[in-house]
Amino acid sequence: MKKVLLAAATLLAGQVTALAQSESSSYSVVSRGGVQNTFVHDYQAIGINPANLGRSTSLVSFTVAEFGAFYSSQAFTRKTLKSAMKLASDTSIGMEERMELARAFTSDNVLNLGADVNTLAISVSVPKIGGFAVSNRQRMLGHAGFNKNFSELLFLGQDASMFSEVKPDETLFVSDIFDGSEIKMSWVNEWNFAYGRKIMELPLVNIYGGFGYKYMQGLGLYEFSAKDGKVKAYNAFSPILDANYDDYLDDPKFNYDSADGLLNPVGRGHGVDLGLSAEIIKIVKVSASVTDLGNIKWTENLLEGQDKGFTLEQMAEDGANNNDFWKDAGKMARAIVDSALVFTPVSEMKVNLPTRFRFGAGVKIGQRVEVGVDYVAPLNKAPGNIASDFVGLGIDFSPIPVFRLSSGVSSGAGDKLNIPFGFAITSPVYEFGIGMRDVTAPFTKNNPGASFAMGFLRFKIGKPQII
């Protein structure tokens, strides 16, 4: 099977508009730029803070097919983004444009992207017992960063500076020439159960606790990273992704999963969410949780790469029969990776879930306004975790009972400063809304992006409880 490093890079560079950032399926969350810790309740608390189920606002609440879309980059400008899109369909762009792309892609934060789709979620609040919720969610997450060599090889080919810096017969290692580069992606089908209830009632304070359990089915995993002289490279893809494993079928160590089921997961695992929240004098809310404690064990269609070293002379021989070898930067980089890394079957691999610590504080101002601040920190460097700490401030404003406006400001998690906006049409039984994570992103000269989330099948049954 072809080494998938460059395939992954192509996916990241050419199809980002079809993907979305983690937790972007909820339009109300996207409308506040990701601020949610004290705002979410009912099934929306799944994966954020299950303790909030103890103060659910409806007896029954459910949704179908909530989704969103988002990508961001600290490396792009509008000009370089246009050049990258042009290169994806036409490799005849000039050297000046290629050099500009090489400089732009030399960043530890080239792209952050993902997809988040709630296929079904439902919650039920039982008086004196607490709130229960279940859901099915698709999570697709990704991050990419390239060092100078990787970026130049991708766009400049033989004109990359390293060709003048090393001898043709000198042995090179990916751990050296790509140090600082990484590509991480994952796709997981997630089944959730969560429970939360009031655990302490004081004169001015109510305290809630909750836990969540998730059963994970891994459909796709890819990681390539060269950090501090070490290389990590492995991948596993479900048959529904149509990966070609023909070169490994005769290897007794290769645990092959053919397409004989609906999703054909190649990894399975378990995760836990733990949360506490407090409500002070019915106005102030405080929330703290740790989410995605656990791991997924990948056992099928699993390959691991080894850094065996190569020479530029070998690379030239590998490409001698390809007339377009020196003209096509993508083929150039793929040839280097194919020469430098050897992928072999492995029996299993445990990969941690993207564990995060979440904290939020919020206040209700009358019946029309609610304001909250959030802080989220990654607790590991697992595939799909945010690249850095996230901070944000969000606000909901209801000028009339059936209409809600949301906005705020947020930054971090590998993203730039965002100004979100969204609205929702609400009633006691139905809600519809649209949100954008950053209204300025499509128009900014530097670091352009796009975001969108929508839900039109959100229902509530039963008289909301006073919180």
Side-chain angles (χ1 to χ4, degrees):
M1 185 182 74
K2 284 283 188 180
K3 311 306 180 286
V4 290
L5 174 59
L6 261 295
T10 302
L11 174 65
L12 287 167
Q15 299 183 11
V16 293
T17 55
L19 299 174
Q21 186 169 355
S22 176
E23 298 155 8
S24 66
S25 64
S26 173
Y27 58 83
S28 54
V29 172
V30 171
S31 299
R32 295 187 296 269
V35 177
Q36 57 190 321
N37 289 341
T38 58
F39 287 90
V40 294
H41 45 74
D42 302 325
Y43 61 82
Q44 298 172 54
I46 293 174
I48 307 302
N49 190 339
N52 292 359
L53 284 165
R55 52 182 182 84
S56 296
T57 59
S58 304
L59 293 179
V60 178
S61 179
F62 66 94
T63 188
V64 178
E66 284 196 19
F67 63 92
F70 175 91
Y71 81 92
S72 68
S73 170
Q74 291 284 339
F76 285 127
T77 65
R78 292 179 65 85
K79 183 178 180 181
T80 54
L81 181 58
K82 290 180 180 179
S83 297
M85 295 176 66
K86 181 180 178 182
L87 181 62
S89 58
D90 181 7
T91 59
S92 64
I93 67 173
M95 179 57 65
E96 183 176 347
E97 289 179 292
R98 287 179 179 267
M99 292 179 66
E100 185 175 0
L101 285 170
R103 288 191 294 268
F105 272 66
T106 303
S107 169
D108 60 0
N109 198 2
V110 173
L111 284 174
N112 293 283
L113 49 102
D116 193 5
V117 182
N118 247 338
T119 56
L120 173 67
I122 183 170
S123 61
V124 178
S125 179
V126 181
K128 298 183 180 182
I129 296 179
F132 301 84
V134 295
S135 74
N136 173 254
R137 185 168 70 156
Q138 303 294 318
R139 289 204 295 180
M140 289 166 275
L141 305 168
H143 167 73
F146 305 137
N147 75 348
K148 178 183 176 183
N149 287 332
F150 190 103
S151 186
E152 287 190 355
L153 288 167
L154 188 61
F155 295 104
L156 303 182
Q158 68 171 351
D159 294 313
S161 60
M162 66 172 293
F163 278 86
S164 62
E165 298 171 353
V166 300
K167 298 178 181 179
D169 59 350
E170 180 180 349
T171 300
L172 305 175
F173 292 90
V174 171
S175 57
D176 296 325
I177 64 170
F178 287 160
D179 187 60
S181 300
E182 62 179 358
I183 300 174
K184 297 180 180 181
M185 296 185 294
S186 64
W187 177 15
V188 173
N189 180 44
E190 183 179 291
W191 300 92
N192 288 281
F193 169 81
Y195 170 72
R197 64 162 296 160
K198 184 187 299 183
I199 58 176
M200 186 178 297
E201 184 173 357
L202 302 174
L204 298 178
V205 180
N206 291 328
I207 299 177
Y208 303 84
F211 70 91
Y213 166 76
K214 56 192 69 178
Y215 174 64
M216 324 284 285
Q217 295 177 304
L219 302 179
L221 175 72
Y222 181 88
E223 177 168 356
F224 166 82
S225 65
K227 295 285 187 179
D228 302 322
K230 297 181 179 180
V231 173
K232 291 176 65 178
Y234 51 83
N235 64 80
F237 297 106
S238 166
I240 65 172
L241 296 176
D242 198 28
N244 183 1
Y245 290 107
D246 289 348
D247 293 343
Y248 303 96
L249 295 180
D250 294 332
D251 192 321
K253 297 181 180 179
F254 186 58
N255 187 12
Y256 180 61
D257 181 8
S258 59
D260 58 0
L262 180 60
L263 292 177
N264 295 105
V266 291
R268 294 164 181 83
H270 309 273
V272 174
D273 303 327
L274 301 172
L276 289 171
S277 66
E279 185 181 63
I280 306 171
I281 61 174
K282 301 293 185 179
I283 296 177
V284 177
K285 302 173 187 176
V286 180
S287 170
S289 62
V290 177
T291 59
D292 286 322
L293 290 162
N295 58 67
I296 297 181
K297 182 186 291 186
W298 302 83
T299 58
E300 298 169 293
N301 297 357
L302 180 63
L303 301 174
E304 183 175 18
Q306 302 293 328
D307 186 8
K308 71 173 185 177
F310 70 100
T311 66
L312 293 182
E313 190 174 52
Q314 289 174 330
M315 183 191 64
E317 292 175 357
D318 290 342
N321 296 325
N322 190 330
N323 294 329
D324 295 327
F325 178 78
W326 297 114
K327 297 180 181 179
D328 188 330
K331 293 179 182 178
M332 169 70 123
R334 183 181 295 114
I336 290 180
V337 174
D338 283 354
S339 299
L341 293 179
V342 174
F343 283 81
T344 56
V346 290
S347 59
E348 68 175 48
M349 178 177 294
K350 283 187 178 181
V351 178
N352 289 330
L353 300 181
T355 309
R356 304 176 188 182
F357 169 74
R358 304 173 181 272
F359 176 82
V363 58
K364 293 190 69 175
I365 304 173
Q367 297 298 315
R368 296 187 177 184
V369 178
E370 183 171 354
V371 180
V373 293
D374 270 15
Y375 170 75
V376 183
L379 298 182
N380 59 23
K381 296 183 178 180
N385 214 339
I386 56 178
S388 59
D389 294 1
F390 167 89
V391 292
L393 180 149
I395 181 171
D396 281 351
F397 170 58
S398 301
I400 57 177
V402 296
F403 186 67
R404 184 180 68 236
L405 295 171
S406 300
S407 188
V409 61
S410 63
S411 185
D415 201 0
K416 61 181 181 63
L417 185 71
N418 292 321
I419 301 176
F421 178 77
F423 71 89
I425 307 298
T426 66
S427 77
V429 296
Y430 176 74
E431 186 173 313
F432 160 84
I434 295 175
M436 293 185 65
R437 194 177 188 91
D438 185 16
V439 294
T440 69
F443 312 105
T444 56
K445 181 179 180 180
N446 296 320
N447 311 130
S451 65
F452 179 79
M454 179 178 178
F456 55 91
L457 293 173
R458 183 181 287 186
F459 300 92
K460 296 172 286 185
I461 302 173
K463 185 178 180 180
Q465 300 174 2
I466 300 176
I467 61 173

